[in-house]
Amino acid sequence: MIGMLNGRVHAVDVSMALIEVGGVGYEVRMPAADLSHLHAGQDGTVYTSLSVSQDSLALYGFLTQASKRMFLQLQKVSGIGPRVALSLLSTLSPSALAKAVADGDAAALAKAPGLGKKGAQKIILELKGSINLEPDETSPEAAPPVDTGTAQVVEGLISLGWHAQDAERAVRDVVGDHDIAEPLTPQDVPRVLRLALAALDRGR
């Protein structure tokens, strides 16, 4: 069982992230909110759940233990599989989802694609009173903000063919050598990109 990945984010798209661990790339399906916190070139930890069916293996990932627990708990409801559980967590945060169940708010749950009102009512019926409403202190909302400017520069360099490690090192060097404040402002991003490109070209 794969319970956690700790490695380099190689790529992110609308439904999954590709995370490299020990030279192996794992495709991990994740909630939209979690994916928005990941950027190519970063190191990260993702808590995972492996789903096994007759014809496929699928790895689902979450930035917090609370999201993973909610994902597993949702699948205890008859008729709710991993795809619907992921859809729910892409529509509502774990705390909002728990509150909707506690309040019997089927309309909020039914907003998740692929669920419907009957499925929402079934979730409330089977899970009400059993979901922990305590906030998760390690949730992405509570985590320190990511320097998206630096991440943009690194992603830009990777898209131009540079390796992630070289791109990150060049950005760090440029920011330090030119006393550029972090987090980067939108105005600093193109300047840092130009300087990093020049530094990488000199090092060829």
Side-chain angles (χ1 to χ4, degrees), residues 30-178:
M30 301 179 66
D34 287 5
L35 285 168
S36 71
H37 286 81
L38 295 180
H39 302 278
Q42 285 183 335
D43 288 331
T45 298
V46 175
Y47 302 99
T48 58
S49 174
L50 181 64
S51 176
V52 182
S53 64
Q54 289 183 341
D55 56 356
S56 68
L57 296 174
L59 195 60
Y60 295 86
F62 312 89
L63 293 186
T64 68
Q65 293 273 26
S67 291
K68 179 179 175 178
R69 286 195 300 269
M70 181 66 76
F71 176 76
L72 296 174
Q73 198 160 13
L74 286 167
Q75 291 178 74
K76 294 179 181 178
V77 178
S78 57
I80 302 299
R83 290 186 180 181
V84 173
L86 187 69
S87 177
L88 276 161
L89 285 165
S90 290
T91 305
L92 298 169
S93 68
S95 58
L97 204 159
K99 187 175 187 304
V101 172
D103 294 345
D105 189 353
L109 298 177
K111 292 178 182 178
L115 181 60
K117 190 171 182 179
K118 288 185 178 180
Q121 291 170 340
K122 184 180 291 187
I123 289 173
I124 292 169
L125 180 65
E126 296 189 26
L127 294 185
K128 191 169 185 178
S130 65
I131 290 183
N132 184 8
L133 290 172
E134 290 297 320
D136 180 19
E137 295 179 357
T138 62
S139 66
E141 293 82 3
V146 174
D147 185 352
T148 55
T150 298
Q152 286 176 7
V153 175
V154 171
E155 288 179 24
L157 294 170
I158 292 172
S159 70
L160 293 172
W162 296 99
H163 292 296
Q165 289 182 334
D166 294 335
E168 288 182 341
R169 184 169 55 250
V171 172
R172 284 197 305 269
D173 291 346
V174 163
V175 168
D177 292 346
H178 294 269

Side-chain angles (χ1 to χ4, degrees), residues 177-191:
D177 292 346
H178 294 269
D179 294 323
I180 299 171
E182 295 184 272
L184 300 183
T185 66
Q187 292 76 24
D188 285 330
V189 169
R191 178 190 174 203

